[in-house]
Amino acid sequence: MDIKNKLGAVAVALGLMHVACSAADQAPWREQMQCGDTQYVIESDCKPSNDPTALSQCKAQTLSVSHGGTVRKAKLPELNKVSAKSIVETGGKVSKLFVTQWACARGDKGDVAVMYYSIGGGSAPYAEAYSIYDEAGVLIENEDSAKYEQALAHSDGHMKKVKSIMPR
């Protein structure tokens, strides 16, 4: 085998090793929260950062909501229309948001889920958002509703970290 073919074979082998290592570095994770009669599961594949100040590299999160025998699946972020529009209008990309914390809070009719999204830092208007789900696991669209405001108030201080883009 001449040198050109040997170099080509080495390059292919190194490329395959890199792909295998990169795929192996991705680790699936799953977070689960029971909120009243509704179960929430967030899943993603992430490559944790070795640097405590750098974000982990994650694929998009998915959400499964189980309530009353039905399961609904969604690709995250799942924001109400007002929040999504605000993110875009202030220069952000909705797809950059990841759930980094969540809580189960008492609503006016039952337990509601609060999900806090972040781009991983910063103070820009598009750097964070909230999604709130009613007792049946349905996204609350109206940010001005008493249920939405009450859920935010009751979740304050009770948010739990979710494995995601945030450094470990």
Side-chain angles (χ1 to χ4, degrees):
M1 184 183 284
D2 67 7
I3 190 72
K4 192 175 186 181
N5 287 338
K6 283 183 181 179
L7 288 175
V10 169
V12 168
L14 287 174
L16 290 173
M17 275 181 37
H18 174 72
V19 169
C21 290
S22 296
D25 290 345
Q26 290 282 353
W29 57 264
R30 173 186 167 115
E31 296 280 339
Q32 184 173 307
M33 175 176 71
Q34 188 72 32
C35 194
D37 293 333
T38 306
Q39 181 181 50
Y40 297 86
V41 176
I42 296 178
E43 296 178 291
S44 185
D45 287 335
C46 288
K47 179 181 178 183
S49 170
N50 292 329
D51 179 353
T53 62
L55 297 177
S56 298
Q57 299 299 309
C58 298
K59 293 183 180 178
Q61 296 169 314
T62 58
L63 173 69
S64 296
V65 180
S66 303
H67 179 81
T70 63
V71 178
R72 180 180 67 83
K73 294 187 179 266
K75 183 179 173 185
L76 297 180
E78 185 175 48
L79 303 175
N80 63 50
K81 291 177 183 91
V82 172
S83 293
K85 183 178 177 185
S86 174
I87 298 292
V88 172
E89 287 178 347
T90 56
K93 290 185 178 179
V94 172
S95 63
K96 299 283 185 192
L97 293 165
F98 284 81
V99 174
T100 60
Q101 296 179 49
W102 62 2
C104 182
R106 189 79 188 146
D108 57 351
K109 294 182 181 173
D111 294 320
V112 295
V114 178
M115 296 192 189
Y116 170 75
Y117 289 91
S118 174
I119 62 169
S123 59
Y126 56 79
E128 63 182 5
Y130 286 91
S131 285
I132 300 179
Y133 297 85
D134 69 13
E135 49 282 334
V138 176
L139 182 68
I140 298 173
E141 280 289 338
N142 184 0
E143 288 185 0
D144 295 328
S145 73
K147 185 184 288 188
Y148 190 95
E149 291 298 325
Q150 184 181 30
L152 275 181
H154 286 258
S155 68
D156 191 33
H158 299 287
M159 300 294 281
K160 294 178 183 164
K161 288 184 179 182
V162 172
K163 285 184 189 174
S164 68
I165 58 172
M166 300 307 287
R168 294 184 182 215

